């Protein structure tokens, strides 16, 4: 166990921001975390738990005690007639975990294939893709309360999951270190193929009989063709959330912009595709120095190499402003901004 000072975070965030942590340590067990939290530096520098760094924009150096969660392990902890309960260490790579479950024929995670990051961050923003969210398969999680230094179990209802939201992103922001997550997966699959280009991709693949393996591969193919690989171009996925507006506002927008992309929600409101709004304001493929908007997906801001977090952030402010002016809609950032 070691604590490092002025430690580079460049290879620990997918935007590739060249920033430093005041203190940095990694832990692979609860005991190692307890050791780090017992250090005098903990009292003066609040802890910041880091996963895969794929949903963070560092605007500058981080004056915290940055603690990288590397707790591993995947185990079946229970089962009944219909479900298996799988517990995974927070530091497990998400896609590795998903692939493992798919290999075992445990269903429910296939639409969430190839999302970057680690298991521990998956409940943070209730990750979602292709019509499935983590809350649909979530059973519980274990977390260390960084104030009380006690462990606590959170069940699904306590996590206040919403669209790319949870209690850990709001009321308990920075308070808990998630140690493990338990998922309730199906023995008999329930397929979700109506979303986005999945059906088309399954047809392209020549799939005659559906399986979770085929759906996972279809999702992998679509994502690989559309999204920038952070190993090649720095990014943190969708920078903004899709905004929710009232039915009246959607109607008014549709009259002025007949091509608007929107989806009705169960509560009577509409979700607008933020990527479409950004594209309509002419940002798709925009580049200013090394800060830019991806050429195939306008919702993704990119670092072509040497952009600073501040430059990416300022670009996001300009985009937000133009959307407000043209559509009267306020975009909310999905990416976590630090400091
Ligand atoms: P980090 O970026 O390390 O951390 C994110 C936040 O969670 C930070 O506030 C951090 O402090 C906190 N945190 C992390 N781990 C813990 C822990 N163990 N305990 C307490 N707090 C913790 N997201 C989606 O929802 N759907 C997608 O389809 C999707 N596609 C993406 C595609 C690309 C190319 C990229 C780059 C990102 C994408 N994302 C997507 C965003 C991102 O992958 C997810 O939000 C992912 O869950 C972040 O995991 P992470 O481990 O990298 O978290
Ligand atoms: P897409 O399929 O081109 O669709 C564009 C937007 O329309 C998406 O944001 C999606 O909303 C919405 N949408 C599409 N079909 C829908 C349907 N049948 N019902 C309701 N909403 C629908 O999107 P994409 O960019 O290629 O991404 C595909 C999936 O991966 C999406 O679910 C997206 O959220 C997810 N993704 C997330 C991130 C991230 O960083 N958060 C990055 C890349 C991809 P939703 O976003 O609400 O699903």
């Amino acid at each position: 166990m070691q604590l490092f000072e002025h430690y580079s975070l460049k290879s620990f965030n997918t935007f590739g921001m060249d920033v430093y942590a005041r203190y940095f340590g990694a832990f692979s067990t609860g005991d190692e975390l307890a050791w780090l939290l017992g250090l005098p530096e903990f009292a003066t520098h609040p802890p910041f738990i880091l996963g895969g760094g794929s949903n963070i924009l560092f605007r500058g150096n981080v004056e915290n005690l940055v603690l990288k969660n590397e707790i591993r392990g995947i185990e079946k902890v229970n089962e009944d007639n219909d479900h298996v309960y799988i517990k995974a260490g927070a530091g497990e790579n998400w896609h590795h975990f998903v692939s493992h479950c798919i290999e075992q024929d445990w269903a429910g995670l296939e639409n969430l294939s190839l999302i970057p990051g680690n298991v521990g961050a998956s409940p943070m923003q209730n990750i979602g893709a292709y019509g499935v969210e983590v809350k649909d398969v979530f059973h519980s999680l274990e977390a260390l309360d960084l104030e009380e230094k006690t462990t606590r179990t959170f069940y699904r209802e306590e996590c206040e999951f919403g669209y790319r939201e949870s209690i850990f992103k709001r009321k308990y922001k920075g308070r808990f270190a998630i140690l493990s997550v338990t998922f309730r997966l199906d023995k008999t699959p329930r397929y979700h193929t109506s979303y986005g280009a999945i059906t088309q991709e399954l047809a392209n693949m020549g799939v005659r009989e559906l399986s979770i393996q085929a759906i996972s591969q279809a999702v992998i193919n679509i994502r690989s063709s559309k999204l920038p690989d952070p190993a090649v171009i720095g990014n943190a996925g969708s920078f903004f959330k899709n905004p929710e507006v009232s039915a009246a506002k959607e109607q008014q927008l549709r009259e002025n912009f007949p091509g608007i992309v929107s989806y009705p929600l169960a509560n009577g409101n509409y979700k607008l595709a933020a990527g479409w709004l950004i594209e309509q304001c002419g940002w798709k493929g925009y580049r200013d120095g090394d800060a830019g908007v991806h050429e195939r997906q306008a919702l993704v801001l990119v670092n072509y190499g040497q952009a600073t977090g501040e430059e990416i952030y300022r670009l996001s402010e300009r985009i937000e402003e133009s959307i407000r002016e043209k559509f009267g809609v306020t975009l909310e950032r999905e990416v976590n901004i630090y400091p």
Side-chain angles (χ1 to χ4, degrees):
M1 285 293 305
Q2 217 178 334
L3 187 71
F4 298 91
E5 220 174 322
H6 297 295
Y7 197 80
S8 172
L9 295 177
K10 189 169 163 53
S11 58
F12 295 119
N13 71 101
T14 58
F15 253 126
M17 290 305 153
D18 196 6
V19 297
Y20 282 77
R22 181 74 173 85
Y23 294 103
F24 178 91
F27 60 95
S28 48
T29 63
D31 286 347
E32 288 182 1
L33 175 59
W35 181 83
L36 286 161
L37 298 183
L39 295 172
E41 288 80 2
F42 171 72
T44 46
H45 295 80
F48 174 87
I49 308 293
L50 182 64
S54 65
N55 201 15
I56 295 178
L57 176 68
F58 289 123
R59 287 175 76 179
N61 292 331
V62 185
E63 284 302 317
N64 297 61
L65 169 59
V66 174
L67 299 174
K68 181 149 169 52
N69 190 325
E70 292 182 346
I71 299 176
R72 298 272 149 73
I74 302 173
E75 61 171 322
K76 182 160 81 176
V77 288
N78 204 352
E79 73 180 297
D80 55 33
N81 285 343
D82 301 324
H83 304 108
V84 285
Y85 294 77
I86 310 299
K87 179 176 171 179
E92 281 289 345
N93 172 271
W94 175 259
H95 183 63
H96 171 259
F97 168 64
V98 170
S99 305
H100 175 82
C101 294
I102 289 170
E103 273 166 29
Q104 309 297 317
D105 271 332
W106 298 330
L109 295 166
E110 49 283 359
N111 291 46
L112 302 176
S113 297
L114 213 62
I115 296 179
N118 294 349
V119 165
S122 63
M124 291 295 300
Q125 71 156 11
N126 179 27
I127 58 169
Y130 301 100
V132 174
E133 294 176 321
V134 145
K135 73 169 171 50
D136 302 328
V137 286
F138 179 92
H139 175 264
S140 59
L141 64 78
E142 276 170 30
L144 182 79
D145 185 332
L146 295 165
E147 280 177 19
E148 305 288 333
K149 306 233 182 112
T150 50
T151 45
R152 176 170 164 186
T153 302
F154 284 86
Y155 293 94
R156 192 166 175 252
E157 315 70 51
E158 298 168 275
C159 296
E160 298 181 10
F161 289 126
Y163 170 63
R164 306 289 190 264
E165 278 294 350
S166 76
I167 197 167
F168 305 104
K169 229 179 153 177
R170 294 191 301 265
K171 180 174 161 193
Y172 287 153
K173 192 175 162 69
R175 168 100 180 248
F176 287 89
I178 295 170
L179 305 174
S180 67
V181 185
T182 301
F183 300 87
R184 193 184 78 155
L185 303 178
D186 295 325
K187 289 183 174 176
T188 307
R190 287 172 290 148
Y191 300 121
H192 303 274
T193 56
S194 60
Y195 207 90
I198 295 188
T199 312
Q200 183 59 50
E201 182 57 27
L202 287 166
N204 294 347
M205 288 161 59
V207 171
R208 295 228 177 84
E209 207 174 318
L210 268 186
S211 65
I212 59 174
Q213 289 76 10
I215 293 176
S216 171
Q217 192 56 53
V219 168
I220 290 171
N221 293 351
I222 302 166
R223 293 184 72 102
S224 309
S225 69
K226 279 182 86 168
L227 290 168
D229 177 356
V232 181
I233 305 176
N235 76 90
S238 305
F239 202 87
F240 300 100
K241 294 181 186 177
N242 289 322
E244 183 174 330
V245 297
S246 67
K249 175 72 182 174
E250 197 270 348
Q251 172 79 26
Q252 178 224 320
L253 285 169
R254 183 161 296 286
E255 278 161 20
N256 295 327
F257 307 97
I260 195 161
V261 180
S262 68
Y263 298 90
L265 297 171
N267 63 7
N269 287 343
Y270 279 77
K271 176 179 76 176
L272 305 179
W276 186 89
L277 300 175
I278 296 170
E279 200 176 330
Q280 294 305 304
C281 288
W283 291 106
K284 198 174 185 179
Y286 174 87
R287 180 169 177 172
D288 180 8
D290 272 354
V293 178
H294 193 247
E295 53 199 10
R296 289 197 300 276
Q297 173 50 281
L299 201 43
V300 178
L301 303 195
V302 292
N303 171 17
Y304 285 102
Q306 303 300 320
T308 63
E310 200 49 42
E311 284 167 346
I312 299 278
Y313 187 78
R314 277 206 303 271
L315 174 59
S316 78
E317 283 186 319
R318 289 171 62 200
I319 293 171
E320 239 192 297
E321 186 52 37
S322 68
I323 303 294
R324 214 181 347 259
E325 264 176 31
K326 188 171 175 119
F327 300 106
V329 171
T330 302
L331 290 184
E332 194 186 329
R333 288 179 192 83
E334 180 178 310
V335 170
N336 297 280
I337 314 286
Y338 291 99

